Amino acid sequence: MNSMVGISFHRFFVGLGFGVAQPAAIVLMNETSPKKWRLASTACSSIFFGLGVLLAVVMVMLEDAWIKDVTMLEWRLLLRCAAAPMLVLGLFAVHILPESPIFLAANGDYALARDSLTALALRNGKRDVNVMFQNPEDQVPCWRLPALQQFKLLLTCPTIISTLTVCLGS
């Protein structure tokens, strides 16, 4: 697959990976970072994604600046070199980053979600934070509420902006 079609095919999946990975990384950063560090962590995340793209461009330029002969471009070596930092950082992240409490609770592991919240609170210097939450099974789903209560729920403060956005945008 030493052709422009092959490289373009694989580049499509790289772009797809960026589209999936970057939003997930930003959400995880915001969820697990202390409030005063959220903006900085999001900015660093975006900067490092950009630096990764810049690294790829520099590596290709060092290989063949004008890409005159695509068949001579060592793109397999370039992909290995570009993947090496992510492999190291990925292994580091698996051991350092806690599992998302929201993910754990959504999958029914409430005790582990509370433990994760407790660890995050301690990591952020908040020892007296109540990490107890109501299990979703104990709550009445909004579609089972009477129509008037559903309407009131749509117009409460946390949901009014999304409600208006959907109504005005459609």
Side-chain angles (χ1 to χ4, degrees):
M1 279 210 153
N2 279 345
S3 67
M4 190 55 95
V5 173
I7 291 173
S8 298
F9 175 77
H10 288 95
R11 178 63 183 95
F12 169 77
F13 288 104
V14 170
L16 187 66
F18 265 97
V20 171
Q22 191 169 14
I26 290 172
V27 167
L28 186 60
M29 287 264 200
N30 282 331
E31 187 177 312
T32 59
S33 297
K35 197 172 196 173
K36 66 179 181 178
W37 289 102
R38 285 187 187 152
L39 181 61
S41 65
T42 303
C44 285
S45 173
S46 297
I47 288 169
F48 282 118
F49 269 102
L51 287 176
V53 172
L54 185 62
L55 172 67
V57 169
V58 167
M59 288 184 345
V60 169
M61 286 178 62
L62 291 174
E63 178 71 27
D64 184 4
W66 300 107
I67 310 180
K68 292 179 183 172
D69 189 6
V70 174
T71 60
M72 298 303 291
L73 190 64
E74 293 289 335
W75 61 271
R76 288 181 183 94
L77 176 64
L78 292 173
L79 285 175
R80 285 187 203 113
C81 291
M86 289 298 100
L87 178 65
V88 172
L89 290 173
L91 292 173
F92 179 73
V94 165
H95 294 290
I96 298 299
L97 292 177
E99 188 63 69
S100 165
I102 295 174
F103 173 78
L104 293 170
N107 286 314
D109 201 347
Y110 306 115
L112 198 53
R114 287 185 191 98
D115 292 345
S116 182
L117 282 172
T118 303
L120 286 171
L122 291 175
R123 188 181 286 181
N124 292 319
K126 306 284 185 181
R127 300 193 188 294
D128 300 330
V129 175
N130 182 8
V131 295
M132 299 304 287
F133 57 89
Q134 188 176 6
N135 293 344
E137 289 101 21
D138 299 339
Q139 297 176 354
V140 177
C142 63
W143 61 85
R144 291 198 179 160
L145 294 173
L148 188 58
Q149 282 185 321
Q150 288 182 21
F151 187 70
K152 286 179 183 177
L153 185 64
L154 283 174
L155 297 178
T156 57
C157 193
T159 58
I160 189 70
I161 293 175
S162 58
T163 302
L164 289 176
T165 304
V166 169
C167 290
L168 296 175
S170 51

